[in-house]
Amino acid sequence: MIRYSKEFEKKDLILPIALLVAFLNPFTQGLEFTNPIAYMLDHYAIYAAGVLLGYKLLRTNFYLFLLGVIPAGFWHIPMFFALGASFAQYRAIEELTLFLGGLIAGGYIPQMKLSGKVGALAVYMIADSILSIFFILEYKQYTHNCYSFLAYTPSQLPFVGISMFAVMNIILIYAIVKILRNAAIF
């Protein structure tokens, strides 16, 4: 079940719209066909925009939360990753499902207990760390060596993994500060 949250204010649109505008424009979209860092940052931005909007705008349940997490994993399976990175029609489906997934996942976060939030953060950090390691080790499944239609080369992947660790650390620091503030430690 999806309900509208009365906590929503117009200022809550600023960051999600900024993320969408930054990544859903012709320049960035074109760059993503040849630059895997831009493509991965696009994943973060589109999903985060959905999560932020869902967090303020909607109230969902645990099952919708799980459904909302699926696109985040699905689009990192090598074949689907390659299709989204190479073809505009798959990219459109990818970005729509990432945004909608973030939207319904974000709607459940305000209802989660602290242990659920920490657990979800831990699962995200573990999954993203594993993918980052794949990129740092230049797994060929994410390059043109495995999918001839994909423009990415193995030598580009370590930079993607490093940028992912940077984003993960920013998210982790934000989450820790938020948890500590809510616990009245700061």
Side-chain angles (χ1 to χ4, degrees):
M1 176 176 181
I2 300 176
R3 294 173 309 176
Y4 175 72
S5 171
K6 295 181 176 33
E7 299 172 20
F8 185 73
E9 299 176 22
K10 288 182 182 177
K11 69 176 181 156
D12 296 326
L13 291 173
I14 295 170
L15 183 55
I17 288 174
L19 290 170
L20 293 173
V21 167
F23 286 90
L24 296 179
N25 64 69
F27 175 75
T28 307
Q29 289 291 306
L31 184 63
E32 292 175 28
F33 289 112
T34 58
N35 186 323
I37 295 174
Y39 184 57
M40 188 56 65
L41 292 177
D42 174 84
H43 286 181
Y44 285 121
I46 302 302
Y47 195 76
V51 167
L52 292 169
L53 281 175
Y55 182 81
K56 288 293 188 173
L57 182 64
L58 304 175
R59 291 299 168 258
T60 61
N61 59 39
F62 178 72
Y63 299 107
L64 287 172
F65 173 78
L66 292 178
L67 184 64
V69 172
I70 290 172
F74 177 83
W75 289 107
H76 293 91
I77 296 169
M79 182 178 73
F80 301 110
F81 179 91
L83 289 170
S86 302
F87 303 105
Q89 64 271 31
Y90 287 103
R91 174 91 47 84
I93 296 167
E94 170 195 48
E95 290 174 340
L96 178 64
T97 57
L98 283 172
F99 178 76
L100 293 175
L103 196 65
I104 61 175
Y108 183 65
I109 294 172
Q111 301 164 123
M112 291 173 110
K113 294 180 181 176
L114 177 60
S115 60
K117 291 176 183 178
V118 170
L121 179 65
V123 169
Y124 154 70
M125 296 292 290
I126 290 167
D128 226 32
S129 294
I130 291 168
L131 184 59
S132 297
I133 291 167
F134 287 168
F135 287 140
I136 289 170
L137 296 176
E138 299 181 8
Y139 269 38
K140 311 245 181 300
Q141 291 87 340
Y142 292 94
T143 69
H144 70 281
N145 290 5
C146 191
Y147 298 102
S148 59
F149 54 83
L150 182 61
Y152 304 159
T153 64
S155 64
Q156 290 176 295
L157 296 183
F159 301 108
V160 178
I162 292 166
S163 68
M164 289 174 68
F165 274 114
V167 170
M168 279 189 286
N169 282 313
I170 291 167
I171 292 169
L172 180 62
I173 290 167
Y174 173 80
I176 290 171
V177 169
K178 187 96 169 146
I179 289 168
L180 293 176
R181 280 198 179 149
N182 288 341
I185 293 175
F186 281 144

